[in-house]
Amino acid sequence: MIEPTVFVVDDDRGVRNSIRELLISVGLAVETFESAQSFLAIFDATRPGCLVLDIRMAHMSGLALEAKLAEIGAEIPIVFISGHGDIAMAVQAIKRGVVDFVPKPYHAQQLLDAINEALRRDEQQRGEALATHGYSERMQLLTSRESEVLDLALQGHSCKVIARELGISHRTVELHRSNLLEKLGIASIAEFLRLKRGNGA
């Protein structure tokens, strides 16, 4: 399963560490970056998740990063965080589709609520993308072994059982499972099952 990741971009180390600890405490995967450029260097649109982004940063602002992501067609949901003086900018950003604006110093629950909404939107967008690009077309991306793993997983079998059925190692099954989820652009077998039903397959 490809777990969604919360990507935190803020040039204040204290803020990055604080948000990281908060997210880890509630079981969310998190990666932090000190600049927009460092995030762009690793950005992969196939990875599910959302972006927690500071508006004001040196060299490349959060707004500039948002614009760059829009330019390349990336649809990662964004939660902006910044000082109260940036509210006017934040309002405009929300009108463009940003999930929320959380002022600093942030309240933990407010930030978590915004992040959970962003992750929900990401899952929804990926589901719609799968439907838009076509169920059968995505399925054709899978190797024969990945298709076998998917079929058995949809029957409710664990990786251990699948490994025994196919005569391969548990680790190999996990790799096939991870690869097929990435190709299909989804985070879990359960999500795929919902999308499969929605496509009438």
Side-chain angles (χ1 to χ4, degrees), residues 7-129:
F7 302 97
V8 179
V9 183
D10 195 306
D11 57 4
D12 185 321
R13 179 182 296 178
V15 172
R16 292 198 307 272
N17 291 342
S18 174
I19 295 176
R20 180 176 182 276
E21 291 174 5
L22 173 65
L23 297 180
I24 290 175
S25 75
V26 295
L28 291 173
V30 58
E31 295 180 17
T32 63
F33 303 86
E34 64 181 1
S35 69
Q37 294 91 331
S38 60
F39 170 73
L40 280 174
I42 64 89
F43 178 65
D44 178 353
T46 66
R47 294 182 64 185
C50 70
L51 178 60
V52 176
L53 179 59
D54 188 22
I55 287 183
R56 293 186 184 274
M57 294 185 291
H59 306 300
M60 186 177 190
S61 71
L63 293 172
L65 175 56
E66 179 209 358
K68 178 64 177 179
L69 290 170
E71 179 184 323
I72 63 177
E75 296 184 345
I76 183 170
I78 297 173
V79 174
F80 270 127
I81 55 172
S82 199
H84 292 281
D86 296 322
I87 290 178
M89 287 188 291
V91 169
Q92 292 303 313
I94 290 173
K95 289 180 179 178
R96 295 193 300 273
V98 168
V99 175
D100 205 348
F101 168 77
V102 178
K104 294 179 181 177
Y106 66 86
H107 293 289
Q109 193 57 55
Q110 182 183 4
L111 181 58
L112 287 174
D113 288 346
I115 288 171
N116 285 327
E117 171 61 18
L119 292 175
R120 186 197 66 77
R121 287 196 195 181
D122 183 64
E123 181 177 354
Q124 180 181 11
Q125 288 172 183
R126 289 177 185 279
E128 292 171 352

